[in-house]
Amino acid sequence: METNELDAAASYVRLSTGQSHSESLRQVEFVRDHYGIAPESYVQNSLYRLPPSDLDLLRNRDERVAAVARATGSSYEHAFAIMQDLRRRFGIEYSEFIRLELHRCGSEDQRRSAVLQYLDREAIRMRQVCFEAGCDIDEAESRMRSTKSEWPTVDFQKFAVRGYFSKRSEEIAADVHFINEIQRENRESASRKSGWSERKVREHMAYVQTEYGIGPAYYMCYQAWNLSESQLARFLTQRHSNALVRKYNDRASAATIARKDEFFKKYGEFTKRRFWLNRGTSFDEFLTFVEGLDSVFCKPLRARHGSGAFIVDLPRSRDELRSVYNDLMSRNRLIVEESIQQHALVRDFYPRSINTVRVIALQDSEGVHVISAPMRFGHQGITDNFSGGGMVCDVDLDTGRILTAAIDKTGTVYESHPYSGKPFIGFQVPHWDQVVDIAVNAMSMQSDVNYIGWDVAIQPEGACIVEGNSETGLALVQAPYAPSGSGRKHLVEPFLES
């Protein structure tokens, strides 16, 4: 019977690979004896597509592969064969496989189509890096792929967003190490709080990301180990944001919002401040830009999440301004903005950053709908970005009063700001009507970009837009309600179903 099984498996491998029967038989026998893989499993799970060296990874079960197997109702070996094949052929790591939701593709053709779309987006990232670093496409691709090869967690998006094109290998290594340490500390903290082993935490993190779209970055914030299946199913996740982006935004048109220089030109009536680029401009033009300004806010032209931002206090003398100009011109591409003066009542919470309202708006045939408008506050940094240590509260859309305590990405809840002691709940956001109106009015600027998160600053005399986010996530909407286990999925369901 065993000989028949070996022969049958070898015949299948021969037909699939074009090898001789004897070669196929030796291959089937080898993987059975060396890796303990039964001939039937070897064939059924298409493991013959992988080089034998890949099969070593089957000795230790990876929690992400196990999560995909569970989500798809398949064997571990079958999920492994698919994920490892994509990793080998296209460089798609297990974490990317789950983030891209390739396990939800119903067929191999759908999965291949999704992979090709992802590779197209990688090409866009390469061109972005070419623009930023002043290199050709081959050089950009080589550096991005070699970086990903050394640090698999650094996909092309992270490479571009975190400005790794301008960093030395040791600087990238330090940054990756820092991120890994934060993730390790989060797993240890989740283990202590849940009473689970770290292995069980890792498995659960992979499960909730695969099944519900809650990524590891928000596992701690949402205290996901405390949530029931029904609660997890009602949480807003990146999955819902991605669906809204696909449905309502044209990718090419949305690029205008992502490119900060083009955004300022197109939306100048809403940003209400001057800007300057550190390329192709003279010192005299720089002097004209800074005239009457005490400071400027600088950030990489393509960076997100506040990455790489810094403030420059402007001196008065021409020689000192020349030094500032030379320093800015020596850096990678920057957009330099007139600093925003924020309303005193908002500044009192935390004066080192501009504390903004993220007005999430969606436009359809019935008009503009404001889905939510959470408010962010900085903490120990110069930006209020949630990913950079900031915190977020929810705001009542009708009144502009803060409804909840603040929460940060670690899941720490604040009834009042730790810097000022100023309480959050009940605070009336100044100029609330203007905050909402400016976002609603800005939606009319591009007819094929209809889902945008507007960062709105409150000034003494009104409101201005800091920037727009055409791929806005929904963590800011969900996070303030995570401590109560209350999901906010209902806010977007009507727009996904329509």
Side-chain angles (χ1 to χ4, degrees):
M1 184 70 173
E2 182 181 353
T3 301
N4 290 338
E5 288 179 355
L6 285 170
D7 279 335
S11 296
Y12 194 95
V13 172
R14 177 180 65 82
L15 290 171
S16 300
T17 63
Q19 298 175 159
S20 68
H21 185 79
S22 59
E23 288 175 320
S24 300
L25 184 61
R26 283 196 298 271
Q27 184 174 327
V28 172
E29 288 179 323
F30 176 79
V31 297
R32 180 200 62 183
D33 298 338
H34 190 73
Y35 298 107
I37 298 172
E40 182 181 13
S41 177
Y42 186 65
V43 169
Q44 284 184 348
N45 296 303
S46 302
L47 295 172
Y48 54 82
R49 294 181 178 178
L50 304 176
S53 57
D54 283 6
L55 300 180
D56 267 327
L57 298 173
L58 275 172
R59 298 184 189 279
N60 297 310
R61 290 173 66 88
D62 187 286
E63 63 272 6
R64 294 161 297 185
V65 177
V68 169
R70 178 176 176 178
T72 56
S74 63
S75 67
Y76 182 92
E77 290 76 15
H78 181 71
F80 171 82
I82 293 172
M83 296 170 75
Q84 189 63 14
D85 182 52
L86 292 182
R87 173 192 260 182
R88 182 173 55 84
R89 289 196 293 146
F90 301 110
I92 293 178
E93 296 297 324
Y94 294 169
S95 57
E96 289 176 289
F97 185 99
I98 293 174
R99 179 169 58 81
L100 297 171
E101 300 196 326
L102 297 179
H103 57 287
R104 293 182 171 270
C105 296
S107 67
E108 188 170 345
D109 285 344
Q110 289 179 351
R111 189 160 52 246
R112 178 176 176 78
S113 176
V115 168
L116 292 176
Q117 290 179 37
Y118 180 59
L119 295 178
D120 284 343
R121 294 197 294 275
E122 284 196 328
I124 293 172
R125 298 294 180 188
M126 288 182 214
R127 291 195 292 273
Q128 176 182 336
V129 168
C130 288
F131 175 77
E132 296 288 351
C135 62
D136 61 36
I137 192 74
D138 291 336
E139 184 182 349
E141 181 174 11
S142 175
R143 177 138 192 235
M144 294 168 88
R145 292 205 183 284
S146 65
T147 301
K148 186 177 180 181
S149 176
E150 188 167 359
W151 299 287
T153 57
V154 181
D155 59 22
F156 282 19
Q157 177 176 336
K158 186 175 292 184
F159 185 99
V161 167
R162 297 190 72 85
Y164 286 166
F165 49 82
S166 64
K167 295 182 179 179
R168 301 187 304 275
S169 292
E170 54 267 31
E171 292 177 305
I172 298 174
D175 197 47
V176 171
H177 176 72
F178 175 72
I179 293 170
N180 290 341
E181 280 297 296
I182 291 175
Q183 293 174 344
R184 181 187 60 78
E185 290 171 4
N186 284 344
R187 289 194 297 271
E188 290 178 351
S189 179
S191 178
R192 288 193 302 271
K193 292 181 178 181
S194 65
W196 294 350
S197 67
E198 283 196 49
R199 176 70 184 184
K200 185 175 180 180
V201 167
R202 292 176 71 101
E203 290 173 348
H204 192 247
M205 290 175 76
Y207 168 69
V208 297
Q209 182 177 16
T210 306
E211 194 68 32
Y212 300 104
I214 297 174
Y218 295 103
Y219 187 85
M220 274 297 296
C221 179
Y222 295 168
Q223 310 257 321
W225 61 88
N226 282 330
L227 301 175
S228 66
E229 297 288 327
S230 61
Q231 286 175 315
L232 286 167
R234 302 303 302 169
F235 265 49
L236 270 177
T237 70
Q238 191 62 36
R239 178 179 296 167
H240 304 111
S241 177
N242 292 342
L244 292 169
V245 169
R246 288 192 299 268
K247 182 171 182 178
Y248 291 98
N249 289 353
D250 174 76
R251 181 175 294 276
S253 298
T256 299
I257 294 176
R259 291 193 287 265
K260 295 180 175 62
D261 52 335
E262 293 188 16
F263 175 79
F264 265 83
K265 292 174 185 175
K266 190 173 188 66
Y267 290 87
E269 65 180 287
F270 303 105
T271 58
K272 301 179 182 179
R273 61 193 185 281
R274 290 178 276 172
F275 76 97
W276 174 81
L277 299 178
N278 68 335
R279 287 292 182 274
T281 184
S282 68
F283 178 54
D284 286 338
E285 289 171 316
F286 175 73
L287 288 178
T288 300
F289 164 69
V290 300
E291 185 177 356
L293 302 182
D294 295 320
S295 65
V296 288
F297 186 81
C298 312
K299 54 189 175 185
L301 198 57
R302 298 293 186 268
R304 298 194 300 176
H305 311 305
S307 176
F310 59 97
I311 295 171
V312 175
D313 292 323
L314 296 172
R316 293 301 177 197
S317 75
R318 185 183 179 89
D319 287 344
E320 289 176 313
L321 283 171
R322 168 73 74 173
S323 295
V324 172
Y325 169 79
N326 290 339
D327 175 59
L328 292 176
M329 292 296 288
S330 70
R331 296 174 182 262
N332 286 302
R333 295 178 187 271
L334 294 171
I335 185 164
V336 182
E337 307 171 15
E338 176 184 354
S339 294
I340 294 172
Q341 303 301 315
Q342 65 179 328
H343 196 287
L345 293 178
V346 177
R347 186 182 65 243
D348 286 347
F349 277 97
Y350 181 72
R352 292 187 60 204
S353 74
I354 303 300
N355 307 304
T356 61
V357 178
R358 171 68 63 86
V359 183
I360 299 174
L362 187 148
Q363 185 169 238
D364 60 15
S365 59
E366 297 180 1
V368 177
H369 311 268
V370 176
I371 296 173
S372 183
M375 187 166 189
R376 299 179 302 178
F377 296 88
H379 182 212
Q380 300 178 344
I382 64 168
T383 70
D384 63 352
N385 293 81
F386 199 51
S387 296
M391 55 189 70
V392 62
C393 316
D394 192 28
V395 181
D396 183 85
L397 288 177
D398 293 327
T399 66
R401 290 189 179 277
I402 291 181
L403 294 171
T404 68
I407 189 171
D408 66 17
K409 205 170 179 180
T410 69
T412 304
V413 175
Y414 304 88
E415 297 292 335
S416 57
H417 199 290
Y419 176 88
S420 61
K422 191 170 181 175
F424 292 111
I425 295 176
F427 174 73
Q428 175 64 58
V429 180
H431 305 305
W432 182 248
D433 288 345
Q434 292 188 46
V435 170
V436 175
D437 287 349
I438 197 170
V440 170
N441 292 334
M443 291 296 292
S444 65
M445 296 298 292
Q446 294 195 81
S447 61
D448 47 4
V449 185
N450 295 302
Y451 169 62
I452 303 176
W454 302 103
D455 291 342
V456 180
I458 300 102
Q459 299 173 295
E461 68 283 0
C464 71
I465 288 179
V466 178
E467 63 183 13
N469 302 271
S470 59
E471 296 183 2
T472 185
L474 295 167
L476 297 177
V477 181
Q478 179 59 65
Y481 293 92
S484 65
S486 175
R488 310 296 284 171
K489 181 181 172 183
H490 63 276
L491 295 176
V492 304
E493 280 179 318
F495 306 105
L496 290 174
E497 294 169 356
S498 63

